[in-house]
Amino acid sequence: MPNTSSQITLQINGEARTCASQTLLPQLLEQLGLNPRLVAVEYNGEILHRQFWDRTEIQAGDRLEIVTIVGGG
């Protein structure tokens, strides 16, 4: 039986972080305390459109840049 609770390491905004393997991007954002509606995500050098977030499973070694969108002006 495969171990689904193993931890993987990834880079978030240049910092090494860990999460459980098989974590989907929206789950990762929640674990980081971020509101998915208020962030933009660059995934391995590409802007990742929101429609793909539910299908994006975080892999070991992934590089994410997460930018919080601030309203007002």
Side-chain angles (χ1 to χ4, degrees):
M1 189 160 124
N3 180 0
T4 57
S5 65
S6 62
Q7 294 285 303
I8 58 171
T9 302
L10 65 150
Q11 291 271 327
I12 300 176
N13 295 349
E15 246 180 71
R17 303 289 290 260
T18 59
C19 71
S21 62
Q22 300 180 324
T23 298
L24 294 174
L25 180 57
Q27 295 170 317
L28 178 66
L29 295 174
E30 281 180 27
Q31 289 169 19
L32 294 170
L34 299 170
N35 182 336
R37 292 190 315 247
L38 300 178
V39 298
V41 177
E42 185 183 277
Y43 181 75
N44 294 330
E46 300 282 331
I47 295 293
L48 187 63
H49 294 283
R50 226 170 269 282
Q51 69 202 56
F52 301 115
W53 288 12
D54 287 336
R55 293 181 250 169
T56 302
E57 188 176 296
I58 304 303
Q59 305 293 319
D62 280 350
R63 295 180 334 276
L64 278 71
E65 293 293 326
I66 302 172
V67 179
T68 302
I69 300 164
V70 179

